Amino acid sequence: MRVNIKHSGKTHPVEVDPSKSVSVFKDAIYQVTGVPSDRMKVMIKGVLKDDADLSKLGLKPNQVLMVKFQVIGTSGPLPSAPTQQITFLEDMDQDAVALAVRNPPGLVNLGQTCYLNSTLQALKTIPQLNVALDGFSSSSSSPESKVTNSLKNLFSGLNQTADPVPPFSVLSNLRLMAPQFAETDNAGRYSQQDADEAWTQLLSALKLSLGSSSGTDGPIDKMMGLELTSKLQCAEAPEEPATTSKERQLKLQCNISINTNFLVSGILDSLNQQIEKTSSSLGRMAVYNSESRLSRLPQNLVVHMVRFYWRRDIQKKAKIMRKVKYPLQLDTLDLATEEVRSQIQPVNSAVKQILKERDDRAKIIKRNAGKATSDDATKEVDIRREERKKIEDLVKEKGIDGETNVSGMYELYAMVTHKGASADSGHYIGWTRKESEVPVASGEEEWYKFDDDKVSVVTADKILSMDGGGEDSVAYILLYRAVNI
């Protein structure tokens, strides 16, 4: 069941299992708000106690719960003047800045493991995945269960430290499950691997380990599963009846050709294909047009930029350097089936208008040097409550599945980039969006850069600049999440 957690003027969707303990629920809230559980007050008919039974509280889907930050401790003497000279951020080196602002911890490179480190940092940003891992327990000794359990322990450890963490367990279990990640070169050193292949293997393990025992969609399918409806029509015999099929996937492909300039056009290119197969009406091989569209929009959408291809002349993967622009806010209306498009169109239009108005209000706050008064904060909370109510009413009216992206609008929140000329070399870096306590207009957000154990902060301009054109870092895996009103 999903409920909405309201904290500091923002609302976060959180999955709650009434059969689990309050501590598991609070940890899920911590993942999205950053409020430590020991300083958290959850308001459900009063303050939620740690020994409460969630199944007896009458929680309802999409119910809004308040989370307050509690300051613990008694008053003490006033602080004295600093004994050391004050050092400003602009005078610090990268390591000192990371320590001062308490950036999230990086991951230690264990020898050509940047492909894994960047992938793990991106995966960790999915709130629903953290909740599912917190509730995971298994006595199975399967390789997939071992990978899943090591991911659970790693993510939990990253929440409890500011120091870089070596992902030994995840790496060793991944190599046991998928031996290609244990390949070595002629000198006996571990080889560089493809981040997309690591992503695929990790999700495969998670899907199997976290899967539903009832035969319904498991957590991975619910949070990331997209459905493609494909229509196959014979180009040489138009009178031949078209066939329709459905397929579930966990990511979209963005093909890159000499004509590809934008993300959506590359995705459409991958969804519109020509194939050859035997025609029942012609009695021979014929050309068929295949057109696929999204009939389920997941809350978390993964896009793989297909930048590597096999070159027979050099017998290795080569990299496509072409510049392909991608947006911070992605509208998938043109990628959806006609049925889905007509259903979500009113919500899509309403959400885009709300996002525009929010950007306008955020720019006003920025012009006022970020000085928002308590009255401004209260007004913003009231406005957003009305905005959410409007969207909720539209979703209910249109009968849209609440576990999908109800508007078709996404925002970029994490990505993996690759630097270099081939998949067998170069360097991978992870990037995740930094949450802001005050409203920020789209394009003015700050992001974390995870270069293995080195973590720094960059602007959105840097994120948008990595669209290709050279051997510098270029977007390879994009993670979008449904815009949450």
Side-chain angles (χ1 to χ4, degrees):
M1 178 194 307
R2 187 179 76 171
V3 297
N4 294 315
I5 300 300
K6 188 174 179 182
H7 172 65
S8 294
K10 300 178 69 176
T11 300
H12 310 271
V14 170
E15 295 292 332
V16 56
D17 184 347
S19 66
K20 300 292 184 180
S21 65
V22 171
S23 61
V24 172
F25 181 38
K26 284 188 173 183
D27 192 52
I29 297 173
Y30 165 73
Q31 301 295 335
V32 298
T33 64
V35 177
S37 58
D38 59 341
R39 296 191 176 190
M40 182 189 301
K41 280 188 176 181
V42 183
M43 311 304 291
I44 308 178
K45 299 178 181 179
V47 179
L48 178 64
K49 297 183 179 179
D50 290 337
D51 58 354
D53 186 345
L54 293 176
S55 65
K56 296 180 180 180
L57 296 178
L59 291 173
K60 298 178 181 179
N62 296 318
Q63 181 176 346
V64 178
L65 308 177
M66 292 288 294
V67 172
K68 297 183 178 180
F69 183 82
Q70 179 183 19
V71 180
I72 299 175
T74 57
S75 60
L78 293 174
S80 57
T83 57
Q84 297 181 345
Q85 182 180 356
I86 296 175
T87 304
F88 295 96
L89 285 177
E90 55 266 31
D91 299 324
M92 299 180 182
D93 59 25
Q94 181 171 287
D95 293 337
V97 170
L99 183 62
V101 300
R102 303 295 288 181
N103 288 340
L107 294 168
V108 178
N109 192 314
L110 302 176
Q112 299 277 42
T113 59
C114 59
Y115 70 92
L116 179 62
N117 290 348
S118 55
T119 299
L120 292 172
Q121 294 288 8
L123 272 176
K124 190 179 180 298
T125 63
I126 303 176
Q128 301 95 326
L129 177 57
N130 285 277
V131 173
L133 286 174
D134 285 340
F136 174 73
S137 62
S138 174
S139 58
S140 172
S141 59
S142 69
E144 292 79 10
S145 290
K146 288 182 177 180
V147 167
T148 301
N149 194 58
S150 60
L151 283 171
K152 173 183 178 177
N153 294 334
L154 175 65
F155 288 179
S156 176
L158 286 170
N159 291 333
Q160 301 172 34
T161 183
D163 299 322
V165 176
F168 285 117
S169 181
V170 174
L171 180 62
S172 60
N173 285 313
L174 175 63
R175 286 172 173 167
L176 287 173
M177 182 184 72
Q180 69 264 34
F181 294 101
E183 291 176 353
T184 57
D185 58 22
N186 294 331
R189 296 169 298 200
Y190 284 111
S191 302
Q192 174 69 287
Q193 299 291 338
D194 189 330
D196 179 64
E197 293 177 4
W199 177 275
T200 300
Q201 290 292 337
L202 290 173
L203 279 187
S204 177
L206 288 166
K207 182 177 178 178
L208 188 62
S209 302
L210 300 173
S212 171
S213 58
S214 62
T216 59
D217 286 347
I220 297 298
D221 282 320
K222 287 182 178 179
M223 70 181 79
M224 305 175 70
L226 56 92
E227 182 182 72
L228 289 176
T229 296
S230 301
K231 178 182 177 183
L232 197 61
Q233 179 73 61
C234 183
E236 300 178 46
E239 69 280 358
E240 185 178 308
T243 59
T244 303
S245 61
K246 294 182 183 292
E247 179 186 6
R248 281 295 187 96
Q249 295 183 4
L250 293 177
K251 62 184 173 184
L252 286 176
Q253 306 281 4
C254 174
N255 289 348
I256 302 175
S257 68
I258 58 173
N259 299 315
T260 308
N261 296 310
F262 299 97
L263 179 71
V264 171
S265 64
I267 294 174
L268 284 172
D269 185 54
S270 72
L271 297 177
N272 300 327
Q273 297 286 321
Q274 278 198 338
I275 64 172
E276 285 192 2
K277 65 185 290 287
T278 302
S279 167
S280 58
S281 64
L282 298 177
R284 60 174 174 81
M285 294 292 288
V287 175
Y288 282 76
N289 293 322
S290 174
E291 180 182 283
S292 300
R293 292 294 182 268
L294 290 163
S295 47
R296 183 184 189 273
L297 299 171
Q299 291 191 350
N300 299 278
L301 180 66
V302 182
V303 181
H304 170 215
M305 308 288 285
V306 186
R307 288 198 171 273
F308 297 119
Y309 69 101
W310 184 257
R311 282 188 55 178
R312 293 182 180 179
D313 56 338
I314 60 175
Q315 289 295 296
K316 65 169 54 177
K317 285 183 178 180
K319 185 175 179 181
I320 301 172
M321 304 292 188
R322 184 175 179 81
K323 184 182 289 288
V324 179
K325 293 190 174 297
Y326 48 89
L328 294 175
Q329 292 180 348
L330 174 65
D331 186 353
T332 57
L333 210 59
D334 291 338
L335 305 177
T337 62
E338 182 59 40
E339 180 183 2
V340 170
R341 194 182 310 138
S342 61
Q343 185 183 38
I344 69 173
Q345 175 70 68
V347 185
N348 178 274
S349 299
V351 166
K352 284 193 284 191
Q353 180 62 31
I354 289 171
L355 291 176
K356 180 181 180 302
E357 292 171 357
R358 287 186 178 182
D359 279 355
D360 292 341
R361 297 197 300 270
K363 289 174 182 177
I364 292 175
I365 292 176
K366 183 179 180 181
R367 284 201 297 270
N368 293 334
K371 297 177 181 178
T373 66
S374 58
D375 288 340
D376 292 332
T378 301
K379 183 179 178 181
E380 181 68 22
V381 169
D382 291 339
I383 293 174
R384 296 201 172 203
R385 184 185 300 112
E386 294 173 2
E387 292 171 341
R388 283 192 296 273
K389 181 64 166 56
K390 178 180 179 181
I391 297 303
E392 288 169 359
D393 290 344
L394 277 173
V395 170
K396 185 177 180 180
E397 177 188 336
K398 295 297 180 180
I400 304 173
D401 181 1
E403 291 189 336
T404 64
N405 183 346
V406 298
S407 69
M409 287 296 298
Y410 289 90
E411 57 187 359
L412 187 64
Y413 69 100
M415 70 178 188
V416 174
T417 61
H418 177 267
K419 180 179 182 179
S422 76
D424 301 324
S425 61
H427 185 58
Y428 289 97
I429 298 175
W431 312 75
T432 70
R433 204 177 80 175
K434 182 180 179 182
E435 296 296 343
S436 175
E437 289 296 320
V438 297
V440 178
S442 178
E444 298 181 0
E445 307 93 342
E446 290 187 326
W447 286 66
Y448 289 117
K449 174 185 178 182
F450 292 95
D451 188 353
D452 288 326
D453 58 333
K454 299 179 181 65
V455 182
S456 55
V457 176
V458 300
T459 63
D461 290 339
K462 174 63 178 177
I463 300 302
L464 291 174
S465 72
M466 293 181 288
D467 53 2
E471 292 189 13
D472 203 354
S473 291
V474 57
Y476 186 45
I477 301 174
L478 302 174
L479 281 79
Y480 285 91
R481 68 181 173 194
V483 169
N484 179 35
I485 297 297

